[in-house]
Structure formats: C-alpha cells, structure tokens
Amino acid sequence: MRQNDIFNSSQQDTQSRLQLLYGNAIGGLVITLLCMGVLCFAFETPEQQALKTTLFIVLAIAHTLRLIDNLYTRAQIKKNTLKLKPTVLRFTIGIVANCLIWASYSFLMVPHMEAVEITVSAIIVSALAGGATTILAPSRLLAIVYMSSLILPFASMGLFSEFAYFKFVSFLGFGYWTVMIATSGQVSAFISETLALKNENTSLIKLMDEEKEEVDRMNEQLTKANQQLDTYTHSLETKVENRTAEIYRLSNLDPLTNLMNRNAFLQKLKSTLEEASLSKEHYALLFIDLDGFKDVNDGFGHKVGDAVLSEIAVRLQELEVVMGLDDKSENLLCRWGGDEFLVCTQYVGAVSLAGLVQDILSSISTPMSIASNNITLGASIGIAKYPDDSKDPHELIQYADISMYYQKKTGQGFAKHFTPELFDEFQHDQVIRDGLRSALHNREFSLVFQPIVDIENKKPWAIEALLRWEHKGKNISPAEFIPLAEKSGRIVEIGAWVLLQACHEAVLWKFENNPSVSVNVSSLQLLDKDFINTIDETLRSSGLPADRLHLEITESVMLENGELAKSQLKSLADRGIHISIDDFGTGFSSLNQLQTMSFDIIKIDRSFLQGLNTKVLTIVSATKLIADEFSAITVAEGIETETELAVLKDLGIRYIQGYLFARPMKSNDLKNWIETF
C-alpha cells in the first residue's frame, strides 16, 4: 500500500494528518525545550556557556512561534477555515528550524563535551528521536528528517572524538537511526491505513446520511402532495371562494392595515357622492396625518412603524362614528399612503363633526406599547365638505389635504376646515416652493446688511447679513420662504451660498475697527454632517479670518439633536468663530442646555423690548445677567426709538441693532452709511 504524506495526499487525508501533528505538537515542544535546557545548563562549561545559552534562546523563540502557530491552526480547524498549503508550509518550517538548531548543537558542542555530558546527550538525543517516530508519524518524511538531524550529526561527531568509547556510541547511533527509520515506516503505514479507513467510513456515513435525507425529503414531498391532492379534491369550491376573496383583498385593501386602499376608496367615495347628489345628503371628508410618525420610523425602525400604523387602523375602525354610513355600507375609511388616513362620514352638523374629530384625536393620542416601546403620537386633521367645498371626489380629497397641511403648519384648533383663502395661500406657497428650486441658479437671491453698533465708541461692531429674494419681480418675505426652504431641505444649499457671499463681502470691507460679519444659520445647516467642511471651505476661499465670522443660531437647536449640536458648536468655537444665540428667550431651552453650548453672544429678541414696562426691564436685566455669567456679549435687536436706546443704555446694554441706526441696506449703501455715521 502506498504511504501518503502531508505533501502528497488528498485534502481530507492531509487535514487529518495535520490535526494529528498539531494535536501531538504541544507535548513535544515542552519535552524538547526541557531537554535542551538540561543539556545547556546542567553541566558546568564556562567557555561554552554563552553559546549554549544562545542556542537555548533560539530554540525557545522557535518553540514560541510554533506554539502561536499551533493555537492559531487549532482555531482554524475548529472554525473549519483551515488552509492546507500554508499550514503544511508553516509546520514544515517549524520542524526544519528545530532540526537546524539540534544539528547546530551537535556540531558546536560535541567537540567540547566531557564523558558524562556525552553520555547524557546521547541518551536525550536518542529519546527525542524515538519520540519523534510517534509524534511525527503522520508525516514520515518530517519524522525521518527530524530523527536524522538529531542522531546523525551527534553520531558523526563521535567518529572524530578523542574518546574511544564515543566511537562505539557513534556506531550504536547509526544502528539506532537505521532501526528508527524502519520503525517510522511501519508506524507511518499504520497511520495511513487507519486514516484511509477513517476517511472511507466518513464518506460512507456522509453518503448514507445524504441518501437518508433524500429519502425523507421525497417521502415528505409525497405526503404533502397526497395531502394537497386530498384538499383540492374535497374543497375545490372553498378554494375558489378564497381565491376570489384574495384577489379582492389585493386589489382593494391595504396589505398592512387591511383598510381600503386608494383605488377602492376613490371608487367607493365616487359612488357614495353620486347617491348623495340624489338624496341631498351632506358628507365630510377628513384627511388625517400622524404627528411624530417620522421620529418613530427613524428612532425605532420601520418594523415598529408598521406596527404603529396597524394599531392606528384598528383604533379608527373601533370608533362607532366611522363604522359605516348606514347598515348596508362598508366603512369609508382608508389608508391613503404612508401615515395618512381618510375618513368620509355623513355630515349632520358641526357639533357631531367636532365630536368625531375629538374622538379621533383622543384615540390616536392614547399611548401604545409596541415591542416594549411606549409610543405617543398626535394627528393633524383637515376637513372638506360635500357639496359645499366641492362635488368632485378628487378635489374634495385635495382640499382636505390642503386643510390638513395648514393645520399641521399652524397647530391651531382641533382641525382645519377648508376655505377658498386656504387654497389661494396654498397656491402661493406652491409658487414659492417651485421658485426655490431654481432661485440660486437664476441668481434671484441677494444680501443686505444691517450694522450692530457699539454705542460706547459709536462705531459698527458687527454687520449682520440678511437674505432677500426677488422672484418674478416680487420681493418674497424671508418669513414666507425661509420656513418652506427649511421644510424642503433647500435651506442647506441656500445657507451655504449666504455664508460664502457674506464672507466674500466682509473681506472687501475697509472699515475702521474691522467689523465682523454675522450670518444666520438654520438648525438644519448646523446639524448637517458637511457643515463644518462647508465653513472651512468658505473661510479658505474667501480669506476671511475665523474671528471675524459670527454665526447666529436659535436656542431650539439643542432640542433637535443636542449632542450633535454641542459637538458642531465646539468645533466652530475651536476655530475661533463666534456663536450668537439669536431670538434668545423665544425658544424652549433651559439654563442647563446653555451650560452645554459654546457661545459668545446673546441677542435679545425685539418682542421683549416692546412696551418697556417693569416686567420687560426685569427680563432684559435677567438676560444681561445671564450673558455676563457666561462671559458673553449682550446685543439688543429691533431698537427703533431714542427712548428704547436710553433705557437699554441705563441697563448696561452696549451693542444695539435696529432701525434707529440703520435699516438693512445693500453693500454700496453700507459703505456710505459707515462714512457718514
């Protein structure tokens, strides 16, 4: 029988041999290192001790590397990721390294040994060679190489020894080597036969398992086929009915909530309104949009979001007032899409409709527990009535949608009823939204500037850049287009343009004091992941020093993503950019949040300066005190009269902005204002 080795066997056989080799290796490494320790340190040989110590250290290093390889290879075997060729190469290199070290020991040390040391060395070398016959038996070639490196150099050196008895030891060594070669062949043959039988048995067992699995699979399929045949034979009519119901469900019901889908609702609404035109009945269409649902999807995942929608659908179905228009009608309730639902109910008066709205809001706002998460939502509702607002189903839905949009925008009342004015306002907003898409490309934006004056030295301390938009010959108020730009996400792109233009303008200013430029930053900009890069690129391209840039933010930004806002503000402050809290006191932040923010300036909103009564003065003084405690500058904005200025001056407010000194002006007018101020 051919004796395979790790170098010429099949993958399965090689892996089995490697498992044996690595399984035996640790004991062999320990014994070999101990034997080398005895040979190197048990005899007093001062002249050769340094060399012996070196050989021992080299062997210890080699054994350490082999131990690491052993642990690594065992882990690969356990994970079934063993790569055979690299593993064989590593093991072979380890054996060859040991061979070279032991051969070097014989060649370098034997000429200097005394009788006792020679005898002990011969015993240890012979014992190690005998052990290698077993430990390295899975690879006869490596076993022969290892035994030879132990015995032959030692025996060869004995032929040239001055001790006569050493020559006899040498002859015995050569004889012992011959016997070990023969023995290794027998052991290797036995292992080869054993592994061959093991692999053959493994293959047979695997084949039997595969055949058994195939038989079981065929039997299972045959059983299922018989069961299906019996089912089809005995319940064909039921299957047809179920299939018909399934087709109806797929074409008419929303798969998530089992409510009517758009198509089914439109058809049902159309037929209902056609009947209403004959019966002179009135109906109300409610467009319901969930408040806070996006946060649920973003925070808990879409799986939880789907469960929330299903729960909302169940709650709407449970409301008796939407359970149907009459005893013969289906529920006029649908999931319009996303987190939007439509309800059509017979209109019998404002009181009844208001009760329905209240029931819907109460039902939706009741906390729900989904996947161990306590979730509370709100809803915005828009209402359009048939036939008062429209007789067309599509228009009725559109008008209810528009009403819902303004209810969500204003948050006033329980629901918003459609009016023609709402439609006009919606169209106006649509014109603005459409115009924002191309406003930058069409160069419709411009900047105006309003100084912030230091009333002590009567010079401009900073100059705020304000965005203006002229669209189709009309000036659009920032109060109109900024919220729409934020809602559409275009504020990030527009804000980057404002920053760049303002910084380029500020670099050109040749005014005394080198006033800073102040730019408003939306919370969407500040929380954008590329905002810091945008700031760096803007300062680089414009050449404006960072300490001449003020960024105005609102305190409410900390409520949206406090940790990210804190990180972004710190990055800006580290660059030397000044941070101003705009409209201070109009948001919902707390003093605790102020402690976590990086800022230099607090701007008192104009709304706190109207009237200048005792309460107002108390608020202004308190704001000034807060700013002082945080080592921040206080700026009062919106100042229009000398009386307001005098009061603020008495309160210690040094920096003033408002129409009293200057209205927002274009860049050329700013230069003239500076020269004449």
Side-chain angles (χ1 to χ4, degrees):
M1 178 181 177
R2 178 186 175 187
Q3 295 184 19
N4 293 329
D5 207 319
I6 57 173
F7 306 101
N8 63 351
S9 58
S10 64
Q11 289 188 354
Q12 186 178 11
D13 188 65
T14 298
Q15 181 163 340
S16 298
R17 290 174 184 272
L18 286 172
Q19 287 178 305
L20 289 173
L21 289 170
Y22 275 97
N24 298 332
I26 293 180
L29 292 174
V30 173
I31 294 299
T32 305
L33 189 62
L34 290 175
C35 289
M36 179 61 83
V38 171
L39 294 177
C40 290
F41 302 108
F43 301 96
E44 295 184 2
T45 53
E47 295 179 357
Q48 287 80 39
Q49 191 57 49
L51 183 57
K52 285 183 175 182
T53 302
T54 301
L55 286 172
F56 181 79
I57 292 173
V58 172
L59 184 65
I61 293 173
H63 276 35
T64 300
L65 294 175
R66 288 187 64 193
L67 179 61
I68 294 172
D69 173 56
N70 189 283
L71 297 175
Y72 170 71
T73 302
R74 287 186 178 209
Q76 282 192 315
I77 292 173
K78 188 174 182 180
K79 296 177 181 178
N80 199 25
T81 58
L82 186 67
K83 297 181 180 179
L84 298 181
K85 289 185 178 180
T87 306
V88 170
L89 179 61
R90 292 197 307 272
F91 190 85
T92 303
I93 290 173
I95 294 298
V96 170
N98 277 19
C99 292
L100 293 175
I101 294 170
W102 279 104
S104 299
Y105 173 82
S106 296
F107 288 128
L108 296 174
M109 294 293 103
V110 168
H112 306 287
M113 290 181 181
E114 297 296 334
V116 174
E117 189 175 357
I118 289 173
T119 302
V120 173
S121 297
I123 293 172
I124 289 177
V125 166
S126 300
L128 291 177
T133 304
T134 302
I135 292 176
L136 297 177
S139 173
R140 189 186 182 198
L141 179 59
L142 291 181
I144 292 173
V145 170
Y146 193 78
M147 287 188 296
S148 300
S149 68
L150 287 169
I151 297 174
L152 295 181
F154 189 85
S156 299
M157 295 302 296
L159 297 175
F160 305 100
S161 174
E162 61 184 17
F163 301 107
Y165 74 88
F166 198 178
K167 293 182 174 59
F168 293 106
V169 173
S170 297
F171 292 132
L172 286 174
F174 287 122
Y176 182 70
W177 175 76
T178 303
V179 173
M180 288 296 99
I181 292 293
T183 302
S184 70
Q186 294 174 353
V187 175
S188 180
F190 176 76
I191 288 179
S192 294
E193 292 177 5
T194 302
L195 290 177
L197 288 174
K198 174 180 176 294
N199 293 335
E200 184 177 351
N201 289 339
T202 301
S203 299
L204 288 173
I205 292 172
K206 183 178 180 181
L207 182 61
M208 288 175 62
D209 289 341
E210 291 176 353
E211 291 291 340
K212 184 177 181 299
E213 289 178 1
E214 181 65 19
V215 170
D216 291 343
R217 188 182 65 82
M218 294 298 294
N219 287 336
E220 183 179 355
Q221 289 183 346
L222 186 59
T223 300
K224 287 182 178 180
N226 289 333
Q227 291 175 347
Q228 290 176 351
L229 183 60
D230 292 341
T231 301
Y232 285 133
T233 301
H234 295 94
S235 59
L236 182 60
E237 182 177 347
T238 302
K239 280 190 170 291
V240 171
E241 293 176 356
N242 291 340
R243 183 58 57 88
T244 302
E246 179 69 9
I247 293 173
Y248 175 84
R249 188 186 67 80
L250 291 175
S251 60
N252 291 278
L253 299 182
D254 173 59
L256 177 63
T257 61
N258 278 328
L259 301 179
M260 279 190 287
N261 59 22
R262 284 193 178 202
N263 181 59
F265 184 81
L266 280 170
Q267 292 179 0
K268 185 62 180 177
L269 180 63
K270 183 178 180 181
S271 63
T272 299
L273 297 184
E274 287 175 352
E275 293 175 5
S277 66
L278 301 175
S279 61
K280 306 300 181 181
E281 293 175 326
H282 289 231
Y283 289 92
L285 181 69
L286 283 65
F287 199 112
I288 305 168
D289 183 84
L290 301 181
D291 296 335
F293 181 74
K294 183 178 183 300
D295 295 335
V296 173
N297 261 345
D298 294 344
F300 301 110
H302 290 280
K303 187 174 182 180
V304 172
D306 288 347
V308 168
L309 293 176
S310 297
E311 174 63 19
I312 295 297
V314 170
R315 293 183 180 187
L316 292 176
Q317 286 177 302
E318 289 175 348
L319 294 175
E320 293 183 0
V321 286
V322 297
M323 290 301 292
L325 301 175
D326 53 53
D327 294 338
K328 300 179 181 179
S329 300
E330 296 181 18
N331 302 343
L332 265 181
L333 168 64
C334 93
R335 180 190 176 203
W336 188 245
D339 61 339
E340 298 171 339
F341 297 85
L342 295 186
V343 175
C344 182
T345 185
Q346 193 169 348
Y347 180 69
V348 294
V351 174
S352 176
L353 183 59
L356 170 59
V357 170
Q358 183 61 56
D359 288 341
I360 291 174
L361 292 174
S362 297
S363 178
I364 291 175
S365 63
T366 301
M368 63 189 79
S369 180
I370 305 292
S372 300
N373 300 301
N374 192 32
I375 297 172
T376 303
L377 299 177
S380 298
I381 301 179
I383 301 173
K385 294 192 288 291
Y386 169 90
D388 299 345
D389 297 325
S390 177
K391 296 180 180 180
D392 181 76
H394 294 278
E395 279 189 352
L396 207 60
I397 294 172
Q398 181 190 14
Y399 292 166
D401 188 8
I402 292 173
S403 304
M404 180 279 298
Y405 168 78
Y406 282 99
Q407 165 64 17
K408 186 177 289 288
K409 180 179 178 181
T410 62
Q412 297 175 353
F414 292 110
K416 189 75 172 178
H417 289 260
F418 177 77
T419 64
E421 291 76 20
L422 276 185
F423 187 72
D424 294 339
E425 188 175 348
F426 175 79
Q427 287 186 313
H428 177 68
D429 285 353
Q430 191 63 44
V431 169
I432 293 177
R433 281 192 290 267
D434 293 341
L436 284 172
R437 294 192 184 99
S438 56
L440 276 175
H441 177 75
N442 295 337
R443 299 182 178 180
E444 296 175 356
F445 289 122
S446 62
L447 296 183
V448 294
F449 301 90
Q450 186 177 32
I452 301 172
V453 177
D454 181 347
I455 60 175
E456 285 192 8
N457 60 25
K458 296 183 174 58
K459 292 181 180 179
W461 170 70
I463 299 173
E464 182 176 359
L466 300 167
L467 181 62
R468 295 293 183 264
W469 182 27
E470 183 179 340
H471 180 59
K472 296 182 178 180
K474 295 182 179 180
N475 292 320
I476 310 297
S477 168
E480 287 188 81
F481 72 81
I482 292 295
L484 292 175
E486 289 180 332
K487 186 172 183 179
S488 66
R490 300 187 186 279
I491 193 65
V492 175
E493 180 184 12
I494 295 171
W497 179 87
V498 172
L499 270 170
L500 185 63
Q501 296 301 313
C503 290
H504 277 284
E505 286 281 353
V507 168
L508 300 177
W509 294 341
K510 304 300 180 183
F511 309 143
E512 187 180 357
N513 283 3
N514 282 330
S516 302
V517 63
S518 185
V519 181
N520 288 281
V521 173
S522 165
S523 60
L524 289 178
Q525 286 178 267
L526 181 65
L527 299 178
D528 182 68
K529 61 183 178 64
D530 295 323
F531 181 65
I532 300 299
N533 292 334
T534 299
I535 290 290
D536 290 339
E537 178 60 24
T538 298
L539 293 177
R540 185 198 63 77
S541 64
S542 66
L544 182 72
D547 61 358
R548 286 189 59 201
L549 176 60
H550 293 190
L551 297 181
E552 297 191 16
I553 64 168
T554 58
E555 53 192 315
S556 60
V557 70
M558 299 301 292
L559 297 177
E560 298 182 33
N561 192 332
E563 287 301 318
L564 178 57
K566 177 182 175 182
S567 174
Q568 297 283 69
L569 291 175
K570 185 178 184 305
S571 296
L572 295 170
D574 290 343
R575 286 162 169 76
I577 297 170
H578 298 282
I579 307 300
S580 174
I581 302 180
D582 195 16
D583 300 334
F584 180 76
T586 61
F588 301 98
S589 65
S590 65
L591 294 179
N592 182 54
Q593 287 173 329
L594 285 180
Q595 295 183 67
T596 67
M597 298 174 65
S598 300
F599 65 94
D600 310 284
I601 305 158
I602 289 180
K603 297 187 76 174
I604 303 175
D605 187 63
R606 165 67 183 167
S607 62
F608 288 110
L609 302 174
Q610 296 174 348
L612 291 179
N613 54 39
T614 303
K615 291 183 179 180
V616 169
L617 296 180
T618 301
I619 293 174
V620 174
S621 298
T623 303
K624 174 71 166 54
L625 179 61
I626 291 172
D628 292 344
E629 288 297 318
F630 283 99
S631 300
I633 291 171
T634 306
V635 175
E637 56 183 352
I639 307 308
E640 299 181 357
T641 67
E642 292 286 351
T643 301
E644 293 172 345
L645 177 63
V647 172
L648 292 172
K649 188 174 182 180
D650 289 341
L651 292 175
I653 306 296
R654 178 176 176 178
Y655 300 95
I656 304 296
Q657 180 181 6
Y659 288 176
L660 177 63
F661 294 118
R663 291 177 176 270
M665 64 193 85
K666 293 185 177 180
S667 183
N668 291 336
D669 296 330
L670 176 65
K671 180 179 179 182
N672 296 332
W673 183 88
I674 294 288
E675 292 173 352
T676 59
F677 178 65

